[in-house]
Amino acid sequence: MEKHFEELIQQVKIALIDADNDHQLNNIKSSFLGKKSELMNMMKKLGSLSADERPRVGKQLNLTKQKMESLIQQRAHEIEKLKYDRTIQAESIDLTMPGLQPQIGGLHPLTQTQRKIEDIFITLGFDIVEGNEIEDEYHNFDALNTPPNHPARNEMDTFYIKRLQDDSNNRLLLRSQTSTVQVRIMENNQPPIKIISIGRCYRNDKPDRSHSPFFHQVEGLCVNDNTTFADLRDILSYFATMMFGNDIEWRFRPHFFPFTEPSAEFDIRCFSCKGAGCSICKQSGWLEIGGAGMVDPNVFDAVGIDSERFTGYAFGLGIDRITLLKYRLPDIRILFENDVRFLKQLC
Ligand code: PHE
């Protein structure tokens, strides 16, 4: 009999060796200690034993049961520990592993150009002012001495904002040039005035490699009692050198703007053919980056500045154009597509 108890204990020990989860442990518990287990059967049969055998066998049975229970309990503790170790291992972080490299952002090429332009003009004593992208016909055309029948006013060229019940003859529009800021500043300030303003403009242009329905300009305006065309020349010459380098060649080309007289276009030597003529500069050897001139007296009259006493120069340069030239980019649209592969190279 004793030998049999010993065997049962051995069987439990062997079964427990392979048990490594709660489910297996519960199965072992019910097959060795449950109602239908051999041990329980033996307990049920205790009553049929003789009176002097019963206490001895009963004691043995109890001892065996306790031993089995404590073996199972011990294994339960071990499994608990095993579970804990597994969780720790699965969730642990190896602090010695190299981390994920964070993606570092940068400034868009247009923003870089804008900041460079601002730096250049700040050192020359210009203030930076902001303008509105939504303007009216008066500030975009009339005050800038643009006649009512000027082609730029056409809806084919300028985006008008249609308002319900709009009976005014001063329609709202998306400004087609930053020259609107000249008017706003001169309406509210008397000379000396020395400002630049950078911002977005809109024209009804079909997008292609050199056109976009929106683009960016820097407007400059300097009004004083002795400002001359030579000052304009010096400022733009200095700007070109600072922007494109010492050996940059530039020129003024006579032109017409309603709001400046005399007027000129400002050209830079073609970076591609260096003047020999190529497809980028349309065989001219030059690339246009903006317009400039002396403020027309009619503009002074419109804004309430004494045109007998004051003179001034103004210029408007294309920031997108400057950026294309600076980075030798073939197509303006690349600046607005936000292709990360392109931006990564220049940001
Ligand atoms: N506003 C003009 C344009 O958009 C440029 C310009 C600005 C010309 C100031 C002269 C003076 O083409």
Side-chain angles (χ1 to χ4, degrees), residues 63-78:
L63 281 173
T64 309
K65 185 170 174 249
Q66 278 165 17
K67 179 80 186 153
M68 283 174 159
E69 278 170 350
S70 95
L71 282 170
I72 290 170
Q73 189 61 30
Q74 193 185 327
R75 189 64 188 152
H77 284 313
E78 285 168 11

Side-chain angles (χ1 to χ4, degrees), residues 12 27-40 64-66 68-70 72:
V12 173
N27 284 345
I28 293 173
K29 206 169 174 176
S30 72
S31 62
F32 284 97
L33 294 166
K35 277 185 192 142
K36 291 182 185 151
S37 65
E38 200 177 339
L39 197 77
M40 285 304 155
T64 309
K65 185 170 174 249
Q66 278 165 17
M68 283 174 159
E69 278 170 350
S70 95
I72 290 170

Side-chain angles (χ1 to χ4, degrees), residues 264-290:
E265 289 216 292
F266 185 59
D267 296 342
I268 297 289
R269 212 11 130 204
C270 177
F271 64 83
S272 175
C273 64
K274 308 265 182 294
C278 67
S279 64
I280 292 183
C281 60
K282 301 202 184 78
Q283 308 306 328
S284 72
W286 296 94
L287 294 163
E288 174 205 325
I289 62 169

